[in-house]
Amino acid sequence: MRRVILLVGLLVPVGLAAQSPVAVPPQAIFIKAGRLIDGRADQAQLNMGILIQGDRIKAVGTVAQIQAQATGARVVDLSQMTVLPGLIDTHTHLLLQGDSTSAAYDVQLLYQSTPYRAILAARNARLSLEHGFTAIRDVETEGAMYADVDVKLAVNRGEVPGPRIFASTRAMAPTGMYPILSPNWELELPHGVQPVDGADGARLAVREQVGHGADWIKYYSDRRYYFTTDSILRSWVNFSDDEAKALVDEAHRLGRRVAAHAIGADGIAAALRAGVNSIEHGDGMTDSLMDAMVRQNAFWVPTVTVAHYVADPRGGIWKPMVAYQRAAFARAVKKGVKIVMGTDVGGFPWTGTNQAREFEYYVEYGMTPMQAIKSGTSLAAELLGQQDNIGTIAPGQFADIVAVAGDPLRDITELQRMKFVMKGGTVYLTQ
Ligand SMILES: [Zn+2]
């Protein structure tokens, strides 16, 4: 009897917490924005107002227009700041803490439990939100199974602070083509991905991952990168065309989009033949591949920050790849390839470089500051199929709103000094 009472006492609050929606402030909020970059317009607007009701934006207009509708609203005065949509990083690894070398990677998979790694992932989610990232696409857990879905659940239930998470779970590569690989065949070592073989195997793996909560499907299109004398960055392709096409087809049939890790021209071409939605890294992008990207409406997520981070410790081809990608990036901007902001944070430690460093690289590489901002707001939302929810400051959108002190159109590094972060109408950072 006593045991039963104890159980009830324990279970009731846990159950309630699990079912209650994320708390939203009941009072309307009136944000005064000194300068507004809404993610859509090509120019900033001065002295604007944003009215928020619950977790959504109700109205956007001049301060005077919004003031008239904002009776009883709590005023958040950002009139000395630049206000932007919450930032979106479309290439992250919450469950990884830097893997510039294989030793750094292996130690996490061999000597850290998934619960330990998930605790760090929750910490990373908070850091990301505090840096102004109100949404991330997390492109695989590197051996931590479905723990990204657990972090997402905890964030969505309001148990821990973090961005909106679009989870990819385990990712896929064929048997023997992804670490950890060891010459000691007597040991079955953990895999950084789900090993997948054959078209039927690919369809099954997609169904398993979707069944366990994958919002996206990620696979590794290539490995073993090398330059040829004609200055093409080439690679070994992982999956047969049959396998890759089955994988993408099954994902699309289940309403999921597909991200392909593809660094060399061969890997990019194979992924585009399979019909993927985004090319990750894409260092070996050629002019004809860029044209194919535009034709197919595929997005390029270049992850420049990680390319710089791993160049020295990895050495070899990883150093010339940086300059090669930089040249390709500038040509792709001119060709109108949809380049979307993604850092590969987790490939570098979450506690080190701010993810917003990526915007600075994009401007150095040939984007205007406004193009860079759109790559990490409205265009990123389009890649996610979330353009009606996030990525812009407009009526009906989630109230995912950030602010910086200066003008990021003059100095893009302002995005690395976040002063105010709101997600879904809740303030997480204010300075
Ligand atoms: Zn990655």
Side-chain angles (χ1 to χ4, degrees), residues 91-93 139 142 218 220 261 281 303 344:
H91 191 124
T92 70
H93 299 278
V139 284
E142 306 287 358
K218 156 90 177 280
Y220 285 80
H261 164 112
H281 317 301
T303 69
D344 212 356

Side-chain angles (χ1 to χ4, degrees), residues 249-332:
D249 179 66
E250 191 63 24
H252 286 170
R253 219 171 59 80
L254 299 181
R256 300 301 190 277
R257 294 183 180 182
V258 181
H261 164 112
I263 287 184
D266 304 77
I268 298 166
L272 290 175
R273 286 198 301 277
V276 302
N277 301 95
S278 68
I279 297 293
E280 308 303 306
H281 317 301
D283 305 58
M285 200 67 74
T286 64
D287 285 1
S288 64
L289 289 170
M290 291 175 202
D291 293 339
M293 296 279 289
V294 172
R295 274 197 308 274
Q296 293 183 215
N297 196 32
F299 294 74
W300 181 14
V301 183
T303 69
V304 174
T305 310
V306 83
H308 283 266
Y309 179 76
V310 303
D312 271 332
R314 288 187 187 172
I317 192 169
W318 295 91
K319 292 180 108 170
M321 266 164 45
V322 172
Y324 191 90
Q325 189 194 35
R326 180 176 185 151
F329 187 103
R331 298 200 308 279

